[in-house]
Amino acid sequence: MSVFTLPQAVKEERLLNELSALVDHHRDRCEPYARILAASGYAGASEISALPWLPVRLFKTLELKSIPDDEVFKVLTSSGTTGDVSRIHLDKAAAAEQQKRLAATVQTVLGPKRLPMLLVDTKAMLKDRRSFSARGAGVLGMSTFGRDHVWALDPDGQVDLAAIRGFLDKHGDAPFLIFGFTFLVWLHLYEVARDNGLDLSNGILIHSGGWKKLIDQAVSPDEFRARLAGVGLTRVHNYYGMVEQIGTIFLEGPDGGALYCPDFADVVIRDPRTWAELPPGEPGLIEVISTLPTSYPGHVLLTEDLGVVHGIDDGAWPGKRFSVLGRLPRAEARGCSDTYREAA
Amino acid sequence: MSIQFRFGAPGDLTAPSDDRLAVGDPRVVDFLGKLARKLLAPALARRHPELGSLGYFLRPAELTRAVEKMRRDDALVFPRGNVFHVPPANVDTIFVYSWALSALAGNHNVVRISSRSAGAADAIFQALHEVDADPVIARTQRMVTYGRDDAITGALSRWADLRVIWGGDAAVEAIREHPLRPSGRDLTFPDRTSWAVLSIPGWRAADPAARRAAALGFANDAYWFDQAACSSPRTVFLVGAGDAEAVRAEFLELLLAAVDQRGWTVDAAMAVEKRVNAYGLAATGAATSVAFPDNRITSLTLTGPDQVPRRWIGAGAFPFARADALIDLVPAMTRQDQTVSHFGFTPAELHEFALALAGRGVDRIVPFGSALTFGAIWDGYDLPAEFTRLTTLHS
């Protein structure tokens, strides 16, 4: 079972219909969204890239939802760099659907059965309210796809070698799932496995999180992959996702090197000067598109991440192949105000 | 905690000093005049046009005029004493204006320079160091950078007879946690908002050259500091009878031409920022239309003068609102509002507007192109008077 099946042309035709209907759906149910469409003069889209997009940061400054208050089942939050927090409202149906689609996406590489799971993180992190929203939500969300969970780090954040060895003794000779943030995997799993001769060759690693810390240490995505292969870990899948489109993750293909869009999602790379769609090979801002957001108008979002499409229908899976290149630096005003924030 | 001396003699900032300067002290006038010449050097002014304006402000003739304004018939005028300045980080030239006036008044000054200052500020420091100055200047005029250090801020606050706080409400509140000596005073520059008013009949009456000049002046006002200086115009009020849509369209077209001519650009993050804010105003019902004719210009139609945003919404983001007459804007103006830049109004209309405001809001009413021109009267303060103290003598 794969959710990476549709060639780009087929996908675009399907998505355009579904998303155009979603635009109408949200316009009818979310007044602030309707006002934005009216003010910007939206009158229908004849292609995916012409769909009206919202800046993702809008979910930090506005309450945007398409369901009545009494149908709100769950409010997801994300911590932001500025202290602002996105608030994403889900009803029961949307919450169930996003979990189902997330499961279908990861099962593409994990298979249908729950695997024993090694979490490259510390359980203590779940108790820390500040780091909980971003890291904790990721870990909790992914942990439902595994069983017999073992934490690779102790409550102080130190590597728990005994726990890792115990996990491998018990589960190491059949497929198992490893999940963690990219930097933690590098620091607390790769280096530990290398130094202690651990055999991770039956592991399937799913990892996420920015590359910045690794790039600072001069570790490229290619090198990350190559070095993990050195400890036997060859089934490695990075992913890109965000709380504003929970349930949709863009997953690295089996051959590595690029992320792919599931059948219900797509990306458009935009020129931040002209806002036009950029062709493969030209980097710009990433717009993420998904049919899953039905309870809030988050179906077409402009992120503040830079990315590039490498090719279309020419990789291990059909559709667009792309990479995330990093974050757009925040705009800073020169002004008379806001000057004392750092001062004193 | 270390103090980095950016200008002036290193040493104890709050130690008593035997140096005395007079109001309009010739050693200060000489120093500032030489500084002006350096800032007005064509190569430098080309690279940082705001330094050209600063240099102009510091020309000897201007300095002499400023000193004359400090003199009075009814009292003897002396320096206020020790002045501690906390200027904004991001408007690179502001610290020079207030410091220079204070130095001209004969004060001992300590200016806290943000570690984030760069660009034009660096050029200013280079120029300050190149001036051949009387040694008393370095002993009495110091510019320092230090981190978050309450001990230093506290000591300078107790040392100061006058504390000058720029940088908005948050800065004023943070600095005010440090007590002044009982006789000390604060001169504060909190958050401000500034506007532009454009007369529809006045625009129609103006010839094409005057319209182009108006758009160019407005562009300078708005784009020089990314529309974030306290006096940069934000909302544009279209005032009076006539086809407002046509005037707005022509104004935006000329504005874009001016922006093109100056080669100003807007970076990607700023473009996103403007979208976030414009959509936010639409979503809340404050704006009925948002348009992005070019990345450098975001144009919004507000539902009314009561919907004007009072916070910065990005570089080249212009909400437009209609009003039948200038006088109708009076209820929308508050104490937070600083500069109204105008085009196309008669002096009588402007005078009537100012009288109706009656000091409850708006400190400056200036033509397009002059919004950023610093003056000795700023934010409602007579700065030369603030920087001096008076002794009366009846014999």
Side-chain angles (χ1 to χ4, degrees):
Chain A
M1 257 303 281
S2 173
V3 294
F4 299 92
T5 66
L6 299 179
Q8 191 63 23
V10 178
K11 167 188 284 193
E12 285 193 14
E13 199 183 326
R14 275 197 208 175
L15 286 187
L16 181 61
N17 287 330
E18 288 185 39
L19 290 161
S20 296
L22 259 184
V23 170
D24 295 338
H25 168 91
H26 291 304
R27 175 159 50 191
D28 292 345
R29 288 166 182 80
C30 177
E31 198 186 351
Y33 181 69
R35 286 178 177 152
I36 290 171
L37 292 193
S40 47
Y42 171 74
S46 56
E47 53 190 347
I48 294 281
S49 63
L51 287 163
W53 45 266
L54 296 186
V56 69
R57 194 147 34 98
L58 225 46
F59 287 88
K60 295 185 198 286
T61 56
L62 295 173
E63 181 174 89
L64 295 168
K65 60 180 166 58
S66 306
I67 47 175
D69 287 345
D70 60 0
E71 282 176 28
V72 174
F73 171 67
K74 212 189 237 181
V75 181
L76 302 169
T77 57
S78 80
S79 65
T81 43
T82 57
D84 299 331
V85 171
S86 284
R87 294 172 64 80
I88 303 303
H89 296 78
L90 299 175
D91 60 9
K92 226 167 189 162
E97 186 66 10
Q98 58 89 5
Q99 187 63 18
K100 198 179 112 192
R101 297 295 185 111
L102 183 61
T105 307
V106 297
Q107 279 167 3
T108 300
V109 296
L110 294 180
K113 280 202 207 129
R114 285 195 191 187
L115 300 176
M117 184 171 186
L118 182 64
L119 295 151
V120 189
D121 215 314
T122 164
K123 199 175 184 177
M125 172 268 313
L126 294 179
K127 295 199 187 86
D128 182 347
R129 294 302 304 173
R130 276 177 311 146
S131 66
F132 177 77
S133 41
R135 234 166 96 189
V139 169
L140 273 188
M142 204 56 79
S143 66
T144 59
F145 305 121
R147 62 178 167 87
D148 300 331
H149 305 87
V150 167
W151 298 88
L153 307 182
D154 68 18
D156 298 323
Q158 301 297 312
V159 175
D160 189 344
L161 190 57
I164 301 174
R165 280 196 203 277
F167 179 87
L168 291 175
D169 286 347
K170 201 165 166 193
H171 302 293
D173 46 12
F176 60 92
L177 167 60
I178 306 171
F179 174 76
F181 282 82
T182 308
F183 185 67
L184 294 179
V185 168
W186 179 258
L187 213 57
H188 296 315
L189 188 68
Y190 160 66
E191 290 183 355
V192 171
R194 179 196 60 192
D195 297 347
N196 294 280
L198 303 179
D199 176 15
L200 301 177
S201 55
N202 277 316
I204 305 168
L205 170 66
I206 295 184
H207 67 108
S208 179
W211 286 93
K212 192 179 173 304
K213 279 186 181 168
L214 284 181
I215 301 285
D216 289 348
Q217 296 202 347
V219 181
S220 68
D222 281 346
E223 193 186 352
F224 182 83
R225 233 180 144 75
R227 298 278 287 272
L228 286 179
V231 294
L233 200 45
T234 52
R235 298 176 66 185
V236 171
H237 299 273
N238 184 221
Y239 75 84
Y240 173 63
M242 60 204 70
V243 72
E244 292 85 354
Q245 275 187 0
I246 197 87
T248 305
I249 60 172
F250 300 90
L251 196 61
E252 190 177 28
D255 53 349
L259 303 164
Y260 291 85
C261 312
D263 290 342
F264 50 87
D266 204 1
V267 292
V268 167
I269 304 296
R270 283 197 189 277
D271 183 336
R273 217 165 25 84
T274 63
W275 302 100
E277 179 173 13
L278 286 167
E282 292 187 32
L285 284 172
I286 302 173
E287 175 182 309
V288 290
I289 296 164
S290 168
T291 60
L292 300 192
T294 50
S295 57
Y296 60 97
H299 48 303
V300 187
L301 296 177
L302 187 83
T303 73
E304 290 177 44
D305 293 319
L306 297 165
V308 63
V309 169
H310 300 294
I312 300 171
D313 292 335
D314 64 348
W317 293 335
K320 288 180 179 170
R321 284 189 302 126
F322 74 102
S323 289
V324 179
L325 302 173
R327 279 193 80 72
L328 186 68
R330 279 295 300 264
E332 191 179 348
R334 309 162 74 204
C336 303
S337 299
D338 289 345
T339 56
Y340 197 66
R341 212 164 271 170
E342 314 273 318
Chain B
M1 175 51 62
S2 64
I3 299 180
Q4 186 195 349
F5 283 79
R6 309 290 293 269
F7 179 76
D12 182 353
L13 292 170
T14 57
S17 165
D18 294 330
D19 290 308
R20 291 287 173 268
L21 297 170
V23 171
D25 196 288
R27 295 167 292 183
V28 175
V29 173
D30 175 66
F31 178 71
L32 294 177
K34 285 175 177 164
L35 178 63
R37 269 208 297 284
K38 297 225 177 280
L39 297 177
L40 286 168
L44 192 58
R46 250 197 314 279
R47 206 150 20 100
H48 301 288
E50 61 267 47
L51 295 188
S53 306
L54 178 60
Y56 193 81
F57 182 79
L58 296 175
R59 285 173 314 139
E62 290 290 324
L63 298 177
T64 308
R65 245 196 301 280
V67 171
E68 272 162 17
K69 280 191 196 147
M70 292 179 189
R71 307 215 184 283
R72 298 173 63 122
D73 299 334
D74 56 347
L76 302 171
V77 186
F78 298 107
R80 183 164 285 281
N82 299 329
V83 183
F84 174 33
H85 303 255
V86 187
N90 295 338
V91 177
D92 304 325
T93 55
I94 277 276
F95 76 89
V96 190
Y97 286 105
S98 62
W99 159 74
L101 278 174
S102 179
L104 201 58
N107 293 305
H108 290 223
N109 291 293
V110 172
V111 186
R112 183 197 188 278
I113 304 293
S114 164
S115 57
R116 287 191 290 151
S117 70
D122 290 340
I124 291 167
F125 283 113
Q126 199 182 333
L128 281 166
H129 285 287
E130 284 171 0
V131 174
D132 177 26
D134 188 291
V136 77
I137 299 294
R139 292 198 303 267
T140 57
Q141 311 300 321
R142 274 119 146 215
M143 300 184 185
V144 296
T145 294
Y146 61 87
R148 186 175 278 281
D149 189 317
D150 287 348
I152 300 172
T153 304
L156 287 168
S157 296
R158 282 189 300 277
W159 168 81
D161 296 291
L162 181 70
R163 189 168 58 176
V164 183
I165 313 171
W166 299 78
D169 294 357
V172 172
E173 276 165 25
I175 297 279
R176 275 201 172 149
E177 289 182 12
H178 302 280
L180 290 167
R181 61 169 75 172
S183 61
R185 291 173 49 131
D186 272 334
L187 184 58
T188 60
F189 298 92
D191 289 339
R192 307 308 304 267
T193 315
S194 294
W195 317 103
V197 292
L198 196 159
S199 162
I200 294 167
W203 179 267
R204 303 202 76 100
D207 63 30
R211 294 179 189 182
R212 272 198 305 278
L216 186 61
F218 179 89
N220 286 332
D221 291 346
Y223 284 85
W224 220 345
F225 290 110
D226 294 341
Q227 223 177 346
C230 46
S231 54
S232 311
R234 297 184 190 171
T235 294
V236 181
F237 292 103
L238 298 165
V239 183
D243 186 349
E245 270 315 299
V247 170
R248 166 176 160 162
E250 190 190 347
F251 175 71
L252 285 174
E253 194 183 308
L254 292 176
L255 181 60
L256 192 54
V259 169
D260 262 338
Q261 188 190 327
R262 293 290 163 109
W264 282 312
T265 56
V266 162
D267 72 10
M270 191 67 80
V272 173
E273 181 80 34
K274 290 201 290 180
R275 291 268 172 162
V276 171
N277 290 319
Y279 283 165
L281 289 168
T284 55
T288 53
S289 86
V290 299
F292 308 93
D294 182 278
N295 226 19
R296 294 162 296 179
I297 292 183
T298 299
S299 147
L300 301 106
T301 305
L302 298 176
T303 46
D306 54 334
Q307 294 291 341
V308 291
R310 276 197 157 72
R311 58 187 186 83
W312 176 79
I313 60 168
F318 304 108
F320 284 84
R322 276 301 308 268
D324 290 334
L326 215 41
I327 208 87
D328 294 342
L329 296 177
V330 170
M333 301 286 112
T334 73
R335 194 52 256 165
Q336 191 189 314
D337 301 331
Q338 187 210 52
T339 297
V340 169
S341 46
H342 60 80
F343 177 79
F345 295 93
T346 64
E349 285 174 299
L350 295 170
H351 194 76
E352 182 194 23
F353 178 55
L355 282 180
L357 285 164
R360 283 166 299 186
V362 182
D363 304 314
R364 306 171 67 228
I365 299 173
V366 300
F368 277 15
S370 302
L372 301 176
T373 306
F374 192 80
I377 296 177
W378 195 258
D379 265 23
Y381 295 115
D382 178 357
L383 296 181
E386 298 289 339
F387 288 133
T388 50
R389 57 180 298 121
L390 307 178
T391 299
T392 50
L393 168 64
H394 299 283
S395 49

